[in-house]
Amino acid sequence: IKYNLLFERFLNPERVTMPDIDVDFCAERRDEVIHYVRKKYGEHNVAWLASFYSMYPKHVVSSVSKVLNFSEKEREEILEMVPAQCSLSKAIEKNPSLKEKIEKDDKMSMLFDISKKLEKIKFSPAIHSAGLTISTINPLYERCPLYKVPDKEVVAIQYDKKFIDDLGLPKFYFLSLKTLTIINTAVKLIGNGFDISNIPFDDQETYKLLQRGDTLGVFQLESSGIQKLITKLKPTTFEDLIALIALYRPGPLESGMVQDFIDRKHGRKPIEYPLPELEEILKDTYGIILYQEQVMQIASKLAGYSLGEADILRRAMGKKKKEVMDEQRVIFIERATKRGIPKDKAEYIFDLMAKFAEYGFNKSHSAAYAYIAYQTAYLKAHYPKEFRKAMKVDDSM
């Protein structure tokens, strides 16, 4: 609520697809969470998501060449001519020597004819590294086929994760995050009742550390690129930190909006709002539409969209669904003009939202990562020895 994170971005009555639920846990204790979920909901109501190994170029050529009794030396020579990252058809097209061998040698021709037919076929099941589904209505075996994973005490569903939505089942990704383990370890080392969840979010020492780019070990802020950006931005508020993580992506960096954001923050450019009514929504990002949630808020404020309807609009813009966009444009302009917005302004705002929706980031995601980034920066600023020890950094280095 404090940071205007919209629940409707995640789940709302108008949404017809199930949300994916990503949760990060301490790397050392993730297995406890999975055990807890299986115990709470029942062994027959929790299963891993399936994934499937596919036969990619080198793998398929290697497998087929064995069946066709190519010698080890022949197989090695052939595999050297097959790149890992492109299709067999493109590999043949790009390599005249390989193409010539196939045309002149019937056995080679047969090898590649068979391999092209088998390419990308899924051949072996596995389980997703972090994904599970949970059913609270009835046992999973009544809703989908299951299989017992060989050599493991786990059950998985037999469908690929993209088909889970059709069953009305949610996907949970229980991810292990080493940074949470580091924070937990540092807190234990500090002792004396120190509570990381109660640190102030306006701590000047922490912001000074961030502003000078002293961010090695700070979650999400370690790369040279983001260190350079943070020294230019010089964050002074937690909102700046949320924005920083949303800005450091290819779209915003290539569009020029990052420099515009920095110049507006430091007074080198005036902060301008497309309409005075949008100041409340865009003031924390200096008049720039940065988050998906802002697109939703603008649609709600100017055109009376429910936040559920606004999420449909936001998704259509983000995925560039032309038919839905054309339909929504008419609806937005019609509703906005009824609420007193001039038609030309309504058209301009819609097109502006559509442009920024391409780069828009989920603020909830950015805020959660900024929260962990700030915690690690705070520990580094105030408890450097404990923080370094938790990270297992040798102080003698």
Side-chain angles (χ1 to χ4, degrees):
I1 292 171
K2 184 177 180 181
Y3 297 107
N4 289 317
L5 307 181
L6 305 181
F7 184 79
E8 289 83 355
R9 165 63 184 80
F10 168 68
L11 193 63
N12 62 71
E14 283 91 352
R15 180 171 181 154
V16 295
T17 57
M18 297 290 274
D20 288 359
I21 301 167
D22 292 4
V23 193
D24 293 311
F25 294 101
C26 163
E28 292 176 354
R29 302 191 64 191
R30 186 189 75 132
D31 288 347
E32 290 178 44
V33 179
I34 295 168
H35 176 74
Y36 165 79
V37 167
R38 291 173 69 186
K39 188 175 178 182
K40 180 176 176 64
Y41 295 102
E43 294 289 329
H44 297 301
N45 291 64
V46 179
W48 288 88
L49 302 180
S51 61
F52 296 90
Y53 294 115
S54 297
M55 299 189 78
Y56 284 99
K58 278 187 181 290
H59 178 220
V60 72
V61 171
S62 176
S63 299
V64 175
S65 62
K66 282 181 187 176
V67 175
L68 294 179
N69 294 319
F70 279 81
S71 70
E72 191 68 32
K73 187 181 178 184
E74 286 174 325
R75 286 176 56 235
E76 285 177 8
E77 289 174 358
I78 294 164
L79 288 173
E80 278 181 18
M81 294 188 280
V82 179
Q85 300 300 323
C86 72
S87 69
L88 289 174
S89 296
K90 282 190 177 177
I92 296 164
E93 188 183 314
K94 288 180 179 179
N95 191 328
S97 175
L98 177 61
K99 189 176 182 181
E100 187 180 344
K101 281 179 183 287
I102 292 167
E103 287 171 352
K104 289 184 176 179
D105 187 328
D106 289 342
K107 194 175 178 184
M108 278 283 285
S109 178
M110 181 187 291
L111 166 62
F112 278 86
D113 282 346
I114 295 170
S115 295
K116 280 193 277 186
K117 287 171 186 172
L118 294 175
E119 189 177 10
K120 292 191 178 178
I121 282 180
K122 299 192 186 316
F123 73 97
S124 177
I127 61 168
H128 194 282
S129 59
L132 296 100
T133 189
I134 300 171
S135 171
T136 56
I137 301 169
N138 48 16
L140 281 166
Y141 57 72
E142 292 182 6
R143 306 181 74 172
C144 58
L146 306 173
Y147 80 99
K148 169 78 169 57
V149 180
D151 304 321
K152 292 186 179 180
E153 290 300 315
V154 295
V155 170
I157 60 173
Q158 291 189 28
Y159 293 142
D160 187 273
K161 63 181 182 179
K162 62 188 173 186
F163 299 113
I164 305 306
D165 285 348
D166 297 334
L167 297 171
L169 291 168
K171 295 188 286 288
F172 294 86
Y173 295 97
F174 291 175
L175 307 160
S176 60
L177 189 61
K178 187 182 174 185
T179 303
L180 294 177
T181 308
I182 291 168
I183 291 170
N184 190 43
T185 305
V187 168
K188 286 178 181 175
L189 290 169
I190 294 162
N192 299 320
F194 175 71
D195 185 357
I196 191 71
S197 64
N198 279 327
I199 59 174
F201 274 75
D202 57 356
D203 179 70
Q204 290 309 300
E205 289 304 311
T206 302
Y207 284 109
K208 284 177 186 175
L209 178 141
L210 292 169
Q211 288 164 10
R212 63 177 181 264
D214 184 11
T215 55
L216 283 177
V218 176
F219 181 66
Q220 291 284 303
L221 308 181
E222 292 191 82
S223 72
S224 58
I226 203 163
Q227 281 181 324
K228 189 176 178 182
L229 175 57
I230 203 168
T231 56
K232 288 181 179 178
L233 178 63
K234 298 195 180 302
T236 51
T237 66
F238 186 61
E239 280 284 359
D240 284 346
L241 209 53
I242 298 172
L244 176 76
I245 288 169
L247 285 166
Y248 192 68
R249 293 175 301 113
L253 287 168
E254 290 163 13
S255 72
M257 68 186 284
V258 174
Q259 190 58 50
D260 194 21
F261 186 98
I262 292 169
D263 289 342
R264 290 185 183 205
K265 172 175 171 58
H266 294 294
R268 294 191 287 269
K269 277 187 181 178
I271 297 171
E272 298 174 333
Y273 300 100
L275 283 175
E277 295 94 324
L278 300 183
E279 181 174 353
E280 186 183 352
I281 297 169
L282 300 178
K283 64 182 178 183
D284 289 326
T285 51
Y286 310 105
I288 293 169
I289 301 171
L290 178 59
Y291 307 119
Q292 294 169 353
E293 287 87 341
Q294 288 173 318
V295 170
M296 294 167 64
Q297 288 172 304
I298 292 169
S300 177
K301 188 173 183 71
L302 297 188
Y305 278 61
S306 72
L307 288 175
E309 290 175 319
D311 188 52
I312 293 169
L313 171 65
R314 186 269 313 165
R315 275 185 285 149
M317 286 179 165
K319 293 180 180 178
K320 299 181 184 176
K321 292 184 176 179
K322 189 177 184 309
E323 286 182 17
V324 183
M325 286 271 285
D326 290 344
E327 181 187 334
Q328 288 291 333
R329 194 174 198 275
V330 173
I331 294 168
F332 180 89
I333 293 165
E334 188 179 297
R335 289 190 186 180
T337 51
K338 281 182 182 175
R339 293 164 70 93
I341 307 294
K343 187 180 178 185
D344 61 332
K345 277 284 186 184
E347 290 172 339
Y348 170 71
I349 296 293
F350 186 91
D351 293 338
L352 191 69
M353 286 195 300
K355 175 189 172 185
F356 280 97
E358 292 179 34
Y359 310 122
F361 196 62
N362 178 349
K363 189 181 182 184
S364 297
H365 183 104
S366 193
Y369 272 14
Y371 183 76
I372 301 172
Y374 183 90
Q375 287 183 330
T376 51
Y378 184 91
L379 289 170
K380 186 173 183 180
H382 291 276
Y383 302 97
K385 286 185 180 178
E386 291 85 351
F387 182 63
R388 286 172 68 86
K389 194 169 182 181
M391 291 190 72
K392 298 178 179 172
V393 175
D394 185 354
D395 282 313
S396 66
M397 292 173 66

